[in-house]
């Protein structure tokens, strides 16, 4: 385990501890095993530096740790070019900080760092696990079945229940998020479309 990824985990732990909605949602582990994942890059990580001016004080330590860990993280893209297009794939990525297949291992809680660049339409999708989105920087319009669309700004959050379809559109700034999952289906990927 690299020091950079350990710093991301530690900064995330502090953010969860100090943020009631995150603390309440997740059973955040104190001491977890780490695993050696091979670092992989995605084109969009070059965009992350651009969020610097939009990060509130409360999220700054985590943001700096994420930037430092870019070369060490196993960046992923759940979707194929056929599903979302090349433009989207060039501006999107995430890594699993904590979870069944994450840099740190847990079968109770999954945590992702994910970003989407400006002007993207993340189409409707769903997954069995319950989800809490927490915005670290930028903003985006979040939509979920049965709810009015909401623009989330830094430190705002949105909860998705099990298999509740949701979608997201970024505006001029793009968005950097901290995402928590819990419950059944923790290890499964999201599916495009409606449940
Ligand atoms: Zn989701």
């Amino acid at each position: 385990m690299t020091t950079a990824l350990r710093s991301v985990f530690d900064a995330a732990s502090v953010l969860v501890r100090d943020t009631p909605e995150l603390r309440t949602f997740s059973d955040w582990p104190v001491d977890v095993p780490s695993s050696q994942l091979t670092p992989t890059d995605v084109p969009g990580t070059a965009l992350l530096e651009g969020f610097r001016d939009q990060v509130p004080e409360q999220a700054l330590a985590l943001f700096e740790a994420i930037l430092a860990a870019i070369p060490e993280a196993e960046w992923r893209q759940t979707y194929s070019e056929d599903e979302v297009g090349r433009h989207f794939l060039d501006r999107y990525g995430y890594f699993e900080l904590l979870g069944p297949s994450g840099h740190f291992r847990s079968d109770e809680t999954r945590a992702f760092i994910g970003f989407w660049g400006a002007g993207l339409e993340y189409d409707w999708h769903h997954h069995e696990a319950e989800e809490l989105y927490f915005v670290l920087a930028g903003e985006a319009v979040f939509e979920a079945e049965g709810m009015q669309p909401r623009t989330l700004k830094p430190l705002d959050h949105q909860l998705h229940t099990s298999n509740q379809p949701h979608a997201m559109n970024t505006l001029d700034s793009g968005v950097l998020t901290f995402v928590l999952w819990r419950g059944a289906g923790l290890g499964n990927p999201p599916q495009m479309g409606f449940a």
Side-chain angles (χ1 to χ4, degrees), residues 122 125 127 131 133 160 166 181 190:
Y122 184 7
H125 56 282
H127 40 76
E131 176 175 69
Y133 263 91
H160 298 134
H166 47 282
W181 280 21

Side-chain angles (χ1 to χ4, degrees), residues 12-29 58 109 132 134 157 178 180 182:
S13 301
V14 171
L15 183 69
V16 170
R17 186 194 67 200
D18 292 347
T19 310
E21 54 267 27
L22 298 177
R23 191 174 62 231
T24 305
F25 180 86
S26 77
D27 187 14
W28 190 265
Q58 194 175 333
T109 300
L132 187 81
F134 185 82
H157 69 282
F178 179 58
L180 293 173
R182 70 178 181 194

Side-chain angles (χ1 to χ4, degrees), residues 51-52 54-56 59 63 135-139 154-155 173-177:
F51 286 110
R52 182 180 294 279
Q54 311 166 47
V55 183
F63 176 74
V135 174
L136 299 174
E139 60 181 18
L155 310 182
S173 62
V175 70
L176 174 65
T177 64

